[in-house]
Amino acid sequence: MAKKDLEKEVEALNLLRTPTPENEAALRKALGHRNNYYVGRAAKIAGESGMRDLVPSLLGACERFYVEEDPQCWAKAAAIRALGELSYDESAPYLRGLSHVQMEPVWGGQKDVAGTLRATCAWALVHCRDLPEAQVFLHLVDRAFDSDKTVRVEVVRAIGRMSGTQAALLLRMRALAGDQETEVFGVCLAELLALEGSPALEFAGRYLMGEDDKAAEAALAIATLRSVDAFAVLKQRWERGVHADFGAVLLHAIALTRCEDAVEYLRGIVRREARGDVAARKALTDAGNRVE
């Protein structure tokens, strides 16, 4: 298919978003196409439009593109995402995608392009009913140190959605293991705090003692709890004294807790023109609060 023709065909797919028998038939045909990008767009529309009758066609497209060429894993990743959006809860397609590696040539060598596929499978696997919880955990742990940052982040988020003591312990261990990308560490703490609430503040608060990127991620993760307890931990660290850059992060995190005490605390710093008043003013403004 020529590029211009493909663009027209892709544009035409957008007219098929209403779940009617005619549109579903057209999307079913599109899912059988040889072009992986075209199939990916059809899968996206099927998932977003809630067309559950297309599940068999999505499964077929996903399987087919493990054999046929699928640059960037566009077709497979889109089909898996659509299956998840349609609440398909049998684990087989997700388990296959979770372990898939696809090397493609790039300048100077090769690159694995299946990270998005693995990340999507990790998220979808949590909702599968044909696997015992212990097996789901095992599969997620296998990918918790994936070479792709996106996969590591989504695995951590998936573990957070599992809930319970096992999930909390795994999140603590993953945080303790560290990561070359501090974002992964921050997501670990945020998921742990969402899971355990205030009891996890002592663990997360340990990382505030430094003033590096990890400490900044910890501050922002603590802020997601949006509670008086979270504010108290951040306030205590601020009052111990910090350098300007990390201090600005702490004040921003305090504002993000959204609690009234935190807002008034920052306003007090501004009114007194105390240490950090400029950063406090910015933190209030960035969080959508009036300064006075």
Side-chain angles (χ1 to χ4, degrees), residues 201-240:
L201 279 171
E202 188 276 330
F203 179 82
R206 300 175 194 171
Y207 294 97
L208 295 177
M209 294 305 103
E211 298 191 11
D212 54 7
D213 289 345
K214 185 176 285 190
E217 289 286 351
L220 295 173
I222 289 170
T224 64
L225 202 54
R226 295 190 174 183
S227 69
V228 174
D229 289 341
F231 163 54
V233 170
L234 296 168
K235 173 187 172 185
Q236 183 182 53
R237 180 65 184 95
W238 164 258
E239 293 182 344
R240 287 182 178 180

Side-chain angles (χ1 to χ4, degrees), residues 52-74:
R52 287 191 55 81
D53 287 346
L54 293 180
V55 164
S57 297
L58 288 165
L59 289 169
C62 193
E63 284 296 310
R64 191 172 80 254
F65 280 101
Y66 280 110
V67 178
E68 297 179 10
E69 288 189 9
D70 184 19
Q72 300 297 314
C73 287
W74 278 333

Side-chain angles (χ1 to χ4, degrees), residues 7-216:
E7 289 174 352
K8 290 181 180 179
E9 292 292 335
V10 169
E11 186 176 344
L13 289 176
N14 290 320
L15 302 176
L16 306 176
R17 292 182 176 275
T18 303
T20 65
E22 294 77 15
N23 288 350
E24 289 187 1
L27 283 172
R28 188 175 291 108
K29 181 178 179 180
L31 289 169
H33 201 280
R34 292 186 62 183
N35 184 280
N36 72 320
Y37 178 74
Y38 185 72
V39 170
R41 296 294 296 178
K44 184 176 187 293
I45 291 169
E48 291 175 349
S49 302
M51 299 182 187
R52 287 191 55 81
D53 287 346
L54 293 180
V55 164
S57 297
L58 288 165
L59 289 169
C62 193
E63 284 296 310
R64 191 172 80 254
F65 280 101
Y66 280 110
V67 178
E68 297 179 10
E69 288 189 9
D70 184 19
Q72 300 297 314
C73 287
W74 278 333
K76 294 189 289 292
I80 287 292
R81 185 177 293 108
L83 288 168
E85 290 172 340
L86 295 172
S87 301
Y88 184 78
D89 58 6
E90 294 183 24
S91 62
Y94 307 134
L95 290 176
R96 182 170 186 179
L98 190 63
S99 61
H100 184 66
V101 174
Q102 185 167 311
M103 305 302 294
E104 293 186 6
V106 295
W107 181 261
Q110 287 190 317
K111 178 183 178 181
D112 174 22
V113 299
T116 299
L117 172 63
R118 295 196 298 276
T120 306
C121 288
W123 184 257
L125 193 65
V126 172
H127 305 289
C128 291
R129 298 182 179 182
D130 61 336
L131 285 180
E133 185 180 77
Q135 286 191 32
V136 175
F137 275 127
L138 284 174
H139 289 296
L140 292 177
V141 169
D142 279 347
R143 295 262 65 90
F145 293 89
D146 194 279
S147 60
D148 190 295
K149 182 190 76 171
T150 300
V151 180
R152 301 196 300 275
V153 166
E154 291 308 314
V155 165
V156 167
R157 288 177 174 155
I159 291 172
R161 295 303 180 272
M162 294 290 288
S163 74
T165 302
Q166 285 179 301
L169 289 174
L170 283 174
L171 289 171
R172 286 173 180 258
M173 291 181 68
R174 186 64 185 84
L176 288 167
D179 198 280
Q180 61 185 357
E181 299 283 350
T182 53
E183 178 189 348
V184 179
F185 169 77
V187 173
C188 281
L189 291 188
E191 291 295 336
L192 178 63
L193 287 158
L195 194 59
E196 290 190 340
S198 293
L201 279 171
E202 188 276 330
F203 179 82
R206 300 175 194 171
Y207 294 97
L208 295 177
M209 294 305 103
E211 298 191 11
D212 54 7
D213 289 345
K214 185 176 285 190

